Amino acid sequence: MEILAFGVQADEKPLLERAFAGHHEVRCLDVFLNEDTAPIAAGYEVISSSVNAELNGRVLEILAAGGTRMIAQRSTGYNNVDLAAAERLGLTVARVSYYSPYSVAEFAWALAMAVNRRVVRASTRTRDFDFRLDGLMGRDMHGRTAGVLGTGKIGEAFTRIAHGFGMRLLGWDIAENPACAELGMKYVPKEQLLAESDLVTLHVPLMPATQHLIDAAALKSMKDDAILVNSSRGGLIDTAALVDELRAGRFTGVGLDVYEAEAGLFFLDKSLQAIEDDTLARLVTFPNVLVTSHQAYYTEDAVGQIIETTVGNVLDYEAGRRSENVLVPRS
């Protein structure tokens, strides 16, 4: 059987081909799965999709009509998948429920430090042989307060980093993580966390209850000189409201590895095109904002684990086995 994999990055392709060797052949495409590209999957029983795939009802109907029976998503989040439609169409859907939490946590910390210490601005200046320090002053993280929204595996890894820097730790989640509590984290209401934190980082999944978790009111409740980092899902932040606050001169820095309208933009080269997304175009003009292209997970360790799990999910599907990664079981 040949597997069709959508949205495969150049660095990812040899890893994916090597992992499937001895099991199945894999055809790797750099295009992302959406309504326009779904017909390519005709004749493939098993496909693999990437983090920005559009798996709405219409796309799933096209896949099912073409003979697809199993979707192995190479990501943890599944807010992009219409699970009810998949079940109705008899499609098996699996995800990667776990990969290295350090990849995302370490990158979130890198974003925080980069905006705090004005690393991008400094690098740009020195390329022009401008070695002035004006406008580059940052702050010590030691002794300040880190607010972690979501203290699962990734949130815990971030908490350990912040603890190592000597920060006061505040947490918010539906359930307390004992490992974070042992590090001295105090669990408080979201409103208190936002009001007291010098650094706010988001590590919760995107679902209806967390859509725009950081809305206009939440942003206004934060310190004027706070740092905000999001390496989870773009929809957690009301970006238009964030732009309004930035225009008012608020926040020391904002580090975003995700954006709520990133589909069709992130992972693609748009450098020769006009960007029609006015919100994103405005966002990247602020000198205290750093936007990266959903790369927090992108380490050899994490991608290797993602691919290994994806192969396992396909083999489980063939054998009729069901694991914790299955979102919609084989009918």
Side-chain angles (χ1 to χ4, degrees):
M1 181 170 63
E2 186 178 37
I3 314 298
L4 181 63
F6 286 90
V8 179
Q9 303 296 314
D11 297 332
E12 184 185 9
K13 182 179 178 180
L15 300 177
L16 199 57
E17 291 174 337
R18 191 179 308 128
F20 270 108
H23 302 293
H24 298 292
E25 292 188 12
V26 57
R27 178 188 174 194
C28 297
L29 303 178
D30 59 2
V31 298
F32 297 96
L33 179 57
N34 53 40
E35 190 171 339
D36 293 328
T37 60
I40 301 174
Y44 288 90
E45 180 181 352
V46 176
I47 68 155
S48 177
S49 59
S50 58
V51 64
N52 268 348
E54 296 178 15
L55 289 165
N56 55 40
R58 178 56 185 154
V59 171
L60 294 177
E61 288 173 359
I62 295 172
L63 293 175
T68 297
R69 293 293 173 264
M70 194 267 180
I71 301 169
Q73 177 148 286
R74 303 189 308 281
S75 67
T76 298
Y78 53 91
N79 54 286
N80 60 322
V81 187
D82 187 335
L83 298 179
E87 185 173 9
R88 172 173 54 81
L89 294 165
L91 293 169
T92 299
V93 181
R95 63 162 179 159
V96 176
S97 59
Y98 174 86
Y99 61 85
S100 169
Y102 308 107
S103 60
V104 179
E106 290 172 3
F107 194 82
W109 186 259
L111 287 176
M113 293 300 293
V115 296
N116 176 40
R117 300 306 301 270
R118 315 288 197 259
V119 173
V120 175
R121 184 185 301 178
S123 177
T124 302
R125 282 187 185 179
T126 55
R127 285 178 179 272
D128 293 329
F129 298 99
D130 179 353
F131 300 103
R132 293 172 301 159
L133 297 182
D134 296 344
L136 300 183
M137 185 175 287
R139 298 179 298 175
D140 290 358
M141 290 295 196
H142 181 86
R144 287 188 162 81
T145 300
V148 184
L149 293 163
T151 57
K153 292 182 176 66
I154 297 174
E156 178 187 331
F158 187 94
T159 299
R160 293 187 182 280
I161 296 172
H163 177 262
F165 273 72
M167 300 190 76
R168 174 185 177 230
L169 305 170
L170 297 180
W172 176 86
D173 209 328
I174 57 174
E176 296 186 10
N177 183 335
C180 292
E182 288 180 8
L183 294 171
M185 173 172 279
K186 178 182 179 182
Y187 281 84
V188 297
K190 183 184 73 172
E191 294 75 16
Q192 182 180 347
L193 182 150
L194 294 174
E196 297 182 11
S197 296
D198 300 292
L199 164 61
V200 174
T201 182
L202 309 180
H203 301 291
V204 298
L206 180 61
M207 56 185 66
T210 59
Q211 177 74 29
H212 286 181
L213 180 70
I214 305 300
D215 57 13
L219 291 165
K220 289 185 182 299
S221 70
M222 293 173 60
K223 293 182 176 181
D224 287 342
D225 60 354
I227 293 171
L228 174 62
V229 173
N230 185 11
S231 58
S232 183
R233 287 294 184 269
L236 297 174
I237 296 178
D238 183 339
T239 315
L242 175 59
V243 168
D244 288 341
E245 295 303 309
L246 289 166
R247 290 179 62 188
R250 302 189 65 230
F251 305 135
T252 288
V254 175
L256 304 175
D257 185 51
V258 287
Y259 173 60
E260 59 182 325
E262 68 183 54
L265 289 172
F266 282 21
F267 305 133
L268 300 173
D269 182 2
K270 298 289 184 177
S271 60
L272 300 179
Q273 302 176 29
I275 298 299
E276 298 178 357
D277 188 324
D278 292 337
T279 302
L280 179 60
R282 184 70 181 92
L283 190 64
V284 298
T285 64
F286 292 104
N288 58 334
V289 174
L290 175 57
V291 178
T292 52
S293 53
H294 206 142
Q295 68 182 80
Y297 78 98
Y298 206 54
T299 67
E300 293 179 3
D301 310 83
V303 172
Q305 291 172 333
I306 289 169
I307 290 174
E308 181 180 345
T309 300
T310 299
V311 173
N313 287 341
V314 172
L315 298 180
D316 283 346
Y317 161 78
E318 288 185 291
R321 297 187 294 264
R322 181 174 179 178
S323 72
E324 62 178 353
N325 299 318
V326 176
L327 298 170
V328 181
R330 186 171 184 172
S331 57

